[in-house]
Amino acid sequence: MLSANNQNIYTVSRLNAEVRLLLENEMGIVWLLGEISNFSTPVSGHWYLSLKDARAQVKCAMFKGNNRFVSFKPQNGQQVLVRARLSLYEPRGDYQLIIESMQPEGDGRLQQEFEQLKQKLTAEGLFAPGNKQPLPEHPQCIGIITSKTGAALFDILDVLKRRDPTLPVIIYPTIVQGEEAPIRIAQAIGRANARQECDVLIVGRGGGSLEDLWCFNHEIVARTIAASQIPIVSAVGHEIDITIADFVADVRAPTPSAAAELVSRDSSGKRTGLLNYRHRLNQAIRYYLAAQRQKSQTHQYALEKQHPTYRLERQIQQLDELSIRLQKAIQNYIARHSQMLERTAYQLRYHSPGQLIQQQHYLLKKYEQRYIDAIERKLLNSRHQLALAAETLDAVSPLSTLRRGYSVTQNQAGQIIRSQHDVKPGECITTRVTDGMIRSTVIQSD
């Protein structure tokens, strides 16, 4: 029998707590692509949703401290890329993602690839200032790797012609957009290194969207630039556009025109060197800051895992869940008691004295009408019977006989005279005819 003090016996709370720590410590930060469903925004301002694909789904929470930085309004059915840490909601034992950032699928996926490659090459030291080659103080020949029909090429040539018309220029044309562009750019850099015709290269193109500039974020381009024996100036897009090629190149120019000014000679000569040193210093500072930022993020993540905010986030999520359950319970309670109140009111109306009186009044009216109908039928029947009796009586009435010309004679005593022997001479008699009485005196009876 197991002892009650056996440390291998877990409580549910202890098990969930340890599983949560395992998930958070072992998995760390993950990137996840999925479709939003069950999106909800309680009054607390936090977001709760599920991310799903064709065969599975996972619950997620994004607290308002992070979701306020999301530049779009998430909707059910939308494909997104999220950066999140894996955790476990202990009260229910559900594993979930705590989302720290969210982007639409297209831009988010490219940004994720950019960050992953940047971290990989940083770890390998390709961005380290010690690996950078200085630009020649007095270049003898300039190589340009870009599209032969792009505006960037003409901008570079215009600047070089204005600043130093005698400086030789060799163009290594290549495509700078599309699926084949990374290979073509790498081949052009390799061709320039093989020929050794110039002592500095400008690699770049004009501005465009993230997708347009994506060929300069390819690993093959980055490694080819890093391996180049000829110093390379990266001149991709506008000043706000940052690519992997900018980090790995020996010098980054904000625009193609600026790259031409950087490598060309002018009357003072010192300006070029000063710009070179300034760009190298800016680049070194940028790389140093990037490395320190990466180190700071690592320390910050390790610190955050021990921060009370994690516990506060779980309590906030539990509070939101309890709030939703309370609202539903209140609504159900109100609905249930509203139904009971309606049933009670109906029963009260049904058994109320007014209702009973109304029912009795209705029955009284009904019975009254039945009695009236019965009396009327009785009267009608009696009238009919009376009429029949009157007809029968009239048929045997003496008056009917009188109307046929007969008469009835009575003596003074009111007795009917049926024979001549019933009267005496001088006696007063009365004769009834149909329309009246005739009084006469008997003179003689034979």
Side-chain angles (χ1 to χ4, degrees):
M1 180 179 294
L2 291 175
S3 171
N5 295 324
N6 195 319
Q7 295 300 314
N8 291 327
I9 299 178
Y10 284 79
T11 64
V12 176
S13 300
R14 177 188 165 196
L15 176 64
N16 284 354
E18 295 198 12
V19 171
R20 178 181 62 80
L21 291 175
L22 284 174
L23 288 174
E24 292 178 352
N25 294 334
E26 296 298 326
M27 292 296 296
I29 297 297
V30 298
W31 290 86
L32 185 68
L33 179 66
E35 177 184 329
I36 295 177
S37 65
N38 303 320
F39 181 76
S40 64
T41 55
V43 293
S44 61
H46 310 306
W47 293 350
Y48 298 100
L49 61 142
S50 295
L51 288 177
K52 67 177 184 177
D53 56 19
R55 293 178 292 180
Q57 65 178 358
V58 60
K59 293 183 179 179
C60 307
M62 190 173 191
F63 300 108
K64 63 180 180 181
N66 291 321
N67 65 35
R68 60 192 178 95
F69 296 110
V70 178
S71 60
F72 65 99
K73 180 64 175 178
Q75 296 180 351
N76 289 330
Q78 186 175 15
Q79 290 283 340
V80 293
L81 179 72
V82 300
R83 181 179 184 269
R85 51 185 171 84
L86 199 60
S87 183
L88 182 128
Y89 184 55
E90 295 179 33
R92 284 200 308 264
D94 294 339
Y95 97 90
Q96 62 179 1
L97 291 178
I98 305 300
I99 298 176
E100 296 183 353
S101 66
M102 178 185 296
Q103 296 174 332
E105 176 188 5
D107 294 343
R109 182 177 295 177
L110 293 180
Q111 187 65 33
Q112 181 196 16
E113 294 178 7
F114 178 90
E115 293 294 338
Q116 290 176 341
L117 181 58
K118 179 182 174 184
Q119 293 178 9
K120 177 182 177 181
L121 298 182
T122 299
E124 295 181 13
L126 265 68
F127 301 162
N131 295 332
K132 306 298 180 183
Q133 302 180 78
L135 298 183
E137 294 185 5
H138 303 288
Q140 301 302 311
C141 183
I142 306 297
I144 303 174
I145 298 177
T146 188
S147 170
K148 63 181 179 181
T149 59
L153 175 61
F154 297 103
D155 291 342
I156 294 172
L157 293 177
D158 287 343
V159 172
L160 294 177
K161 182 178 180 181
R162 172 174 52 81
R163 289 174 56 83
D164 192 354
T166 63
L167 183 63
V169 176
I170 298 177
I171 300 172
Y172 301 93
T174 180
I175 59 174
V176 290
Q177 183 175 339
E179 295 182 0
E180 297 183 5
I183 297 295
R184 296 289 186 87
I185 294 172
Q187 289 174 345
I189 296 174
R191 187 162 56 252
N193 276 267
R195 294 179 181 179
Q196 290 293 315
E197 300 168 324
C198 51
D199 47 9
V200 65
L201 288 173
I202 297 175
V203 179
R205 56 155 290 163
S209 65
L210 181 62
E211 291 81 359
D212 295 337
L213 305 180
W214 193 248
C215 58
F216 293 95
N217 291 320
H218 260 262
E219 184 173 359
I220 187 174
V221 174
R223 294 192 181 278
T224 304
I225 292 175
S228 174
Q229 300 299 314
I230 303 174
I232 292 180
V233 178
S234 174
V236 181
H238 304 297
E239 186 171 359
I240 60 173
D241 297 322
I242 302 296
T243 66
I244 297 295
D246 295 331
F247 289 108
V248 76
D250 297 296
V251 176
R252 175 190 181 257
T255 63
S257 298
E261 292 191 8
L262 190 63
V263 301
S264 61
R265 297 187 293 262
D266 58 13
S267 57
S268 63
K270 296 182 180 180
R271 182 182 179 191
T272 301
L274 182 61
L275 287 174
N276 187 14
Y277 287 127
R278 187 183 71 179
H279 280 287
R280 292 179 64 184
L281 178 61
N282 289 338
Q283 195 167 22
I285 292 173
R286 188 180 302 111
Y287 293 146
Y288 176 78
L289 291 177
Q292 293 300 315
R293 188 179 299 111
Q294 184 71 26
K295 186 183 298 182
S296 176
Q297 289 176 351
T298 302
H299 292 317
Q300 181 179 2
Y301 174 69
L303 181 62
E304 283 179 352
K305 289 195 295 184
Q306 308 299 327
H307 200 276
T309 302
Y310 275 23
R311 179 178 298 176
L312 182 60
E313 287 177 352
R314 292 194 298 273
Q315 293 175 346
I316 287 173
Q317 185 175 357
Q318 188 173 6
L319 179 62
D320 284 339
E321 181 177 335
L322 293 175
S323 176
I324 293 173
R325 290 173 57 187
L326 178 61
Q327 290 178 357
K328 290 182 178 179
I330 292 175
Q331 292 173 354
N332 292 336
Y333 177 85
I334 292 175
R336 188 166 57 252
H337 282 74
S338 296
Q339 293 177 355
M340 292 176 59
L341 183 61
E342 289 179 359
R343 287 197 299 268
T344 303
Y346 172 77
Q347 293 176 357
L348 183 61
R349 289 194 303 268
Y350 184 77
H351 296 94
S352 66
Q355 183 72 17
L356 294 175
I357 293 173
Q358 186 177 1
Q359 292 177 355
Q360 295 299 323
H361 182 70
Y362 170 76
L363 292 175
L364 181 61
K365 287 287 188 182
K366 182 179 178 181
Y367 292 144
E368 181 181 3
Q369 186 63 42
R370 289 173 61 183
Y371 294 151
I372 292 174
D373 293 342
I375 292 173
E376 288 181 349
R377 287 195 299 272
K378 184 66 175 178
L379 289 175
L380 182 62
N381 189 35
S382 298
R383 289 193 187 97
H384 180 66
Q385 291 179 357
L386 180 60
L388 292 177
E391 290 180 0
T392 304
L393 183 60
D394 184 66
V396 297
S397 173
L399 296 177
S400 178
T401 303
L402 295 176
R403 282 195 296 272
R404 294 197 300 268
Y406 295 94
S407 63
V408 177
T409 303
Q410 296 173 309
N411 58 20
Q412 290 181 345
Q415 298 173 343
I416 296 175
I417 301 172
R418 295 181 173 82
S419 171
Q420 63 178 341
H421 302 291
D422 293 335
V423 297
K424 299 177 180 179
E427 186 178 1
C428 184
I429 61 175
T430 302
T431 303
R432 179 182 293 276
V433 294
T434 186
D435 57 350
M437 305 288 291
I438 300 175
R439 299 183 185 276
S440 57
T441 303
V442 178
I443 298 175
Q444 182 180 352
S445 58
D446 296 333

